[in-house]
Amino acid sequence: MTHLKPNLTRARAPRTAPADDPFRYGWRFVPRPTPDDPHHLEQVPLTLEDVLHPEVGDVIVHSATVTKPTGCISPVCCGSAWSRRG
Protein backbone atom coordinates (compact mmCIF):
# COMPACT_ATOMS: atom_id res chain seq x y z
CA MET A 1 0.00 0.00 0.00
CA THR A 2 1.34 3.42 -0.94
CA HIS A 3 0.89 6.27 1.51
CA LEU A 4 0.17 9.61 -0.10
CA LYS A 5 1.51 12.68 1.63
CA PRO A 6 -0.19 16.03 1.12
CA ASN A 7 1.83 18.51 -0.90
CA LEU A 8 1.94 21.38 1.59
CA THR A 9 4.48 24.13 1.93
CA ARG A 10 4.85 26.27 5.00
CA ALA A 11 6.50 29.62 5.16
CA ARG A 12 9.12 29.50 7.87
CA ALA A 13 9.10 32.42 10.25
CA PRO A 14 12.19 33.43 12.19
CA ARG A 15 12.52 31.67 15.56
CA THR A 16 11.54 34.87 17.35
CA ALA A 17 9.77 37.79 15.75
CA PRO A 18 11.28 41.18 16.53
CA ALA A 19 9.28 42.99 19.20
CA ASP A 20 9.23 46.15 17.07
CA ASP A 21 7.62 44.30 14.11
CA PRO A 22 3.93 45.32 14.04
CA PHE A 23 3.11 42.29 11.85
CA ARG A 24 4.72 39.72 14.18
CA TYR A 25 1.34 38.04 14.88
CA GLY A 26 -0.05 38.42 11.36
CA TRP A 27 -2.36 40.74 9.43
CA ARG A 28 -5.77 41.24 7.92
CA PHE A 29 -7.02 43.37 5.06
CA VAL A 30 -9.53 46.02 6.10
CA PRO A 31 -11.66 47.97 3.60
CA ARG A 32 -10.59 51.63 3.68
CA PRO A 33 -12.12 53.37 0.67
CA THR A 34 -10.28 56.33 -0.77
CA PRO A 35 -11.57 58.93 -3.25
CA ASP A 36 -9.42 57.30 -5.96
CA ASP A 37 -10.23 53.68 -5.07
CA PRO A 38 -13.55 52.84 -3.40
CA HIS A 39 -12.42 49.18 -3.05
CA HIS A 40 -9.07 49.94 -1.37
CA LEU A 41 -7.89 47.37 1.19
CA GLU A 42 -5.34 48.29 3.84
CA GLN A 43 -3.09 45.67 5.44
CA VAL A 44 -3.48 46.00 9.22
CA PRO A 45 -1.34 44.16 11.79
CA LEU A 46 -3.08 41.74 14.15
CA THR A 47 -2.99 42.14 17.90
CA LEU A 48 -2.64 39.22 20.29
CA GLU A 49 -6.39 39.54 20.94
CA ASP A 50 -7.02 39.14 17.17
CA VAL A 51 -4.97 35.93 17.17
CA LEU A 52 -7.06 34.55 20.04
CA HIS A 53 -10.28 35.46 18.20
CA PRO A 54 -9.44 35.34 14.47
CA GLU A 55 -11.73 36.42 11.67
CA VAL A 56 -12.15 34.81 8.28
CA GLY A 57 -9.28 35.91 6.05
CA ASP A 58 -6.80 36.68 8.86
CA VAL A 59 -3.22 35.66 8.12
CA ILE A 60 -1.57 34.38 11.31
CA VAL A 61 2.19 33.87 11.35
CA HIS A 62 3.34 30.56 12.86
CA SER A 63 6.80 30.29 14.35
CA ALA A 64 9.01 27.21 14.07
CA THR A 65 8.41 26.59 17.77
CA VAL A 66 4.68 26.23 17.18
CA THR A 67 4.83 24.17 13.98
CA LYS A 68 7.58 21.74 14.96
CA PRO A 69 5.61 19.72 17.54
CA THR A 70 2.59 19.64 15.24
CA GLY A 71 4.79 18.54 12.35
CA CYS A 72 6.18 15.65 14.39
CA ILE A 73 2.79 14.44 15.59
CA SER A 74 0.75 14.84 12.43
CA PRO A 75 2.51 12.13 10.33
CA VAL A 76 1.92 9.65 13.14
CA CYS A 77 -1.77 10.54 13.38
CA CYS A 78 -2.28 10.69 9.64
CA GLY A 79 -0.37 7.46 9.09
CA SER A 80 -2.46 5.55 11.61
CA ALA A 81 -5.67 7.03 10.21
CA TRP A 82 -4.73 6.05 6.64
CA SER A 83 -3.77 2.53 7.69
CA ARG A 84 -7.19 1.96 9.32
CA ARG A 85 -9.11 2.82 6.17
CA GLY A 86 -10.00 -0.17 4.20
Side-chain angles (χ1 to χ4, degrees), residues 22-78:
F23 295 94
R24 66 183 166 271
Y25 299 124
W27 61 88
R28 74 171 50 127
F29 289 98
V30 178
R32 299 259 168 89
T34 64
D36 297 334
D37 184 8
H39 303 289
H40 178 73
L41 295 175
E42 185 175 329
Q43 187 178 13
V44 177
L46 295 180
T47 63
L48 192 52
E49 185 72 20
D50 294 328
V51 174
L52 293 173
H53 305 284
E55 296 178 7
V56 174
D58 286 357
V59 178
I60 299 174
V61 178
H62 297 280
S63 69
T65 308
V66 172
T67 58
K68 188 173 182 181
T70 306
C72 294
I73 295 170
S74 63
V76 173
C77 295
C78 292

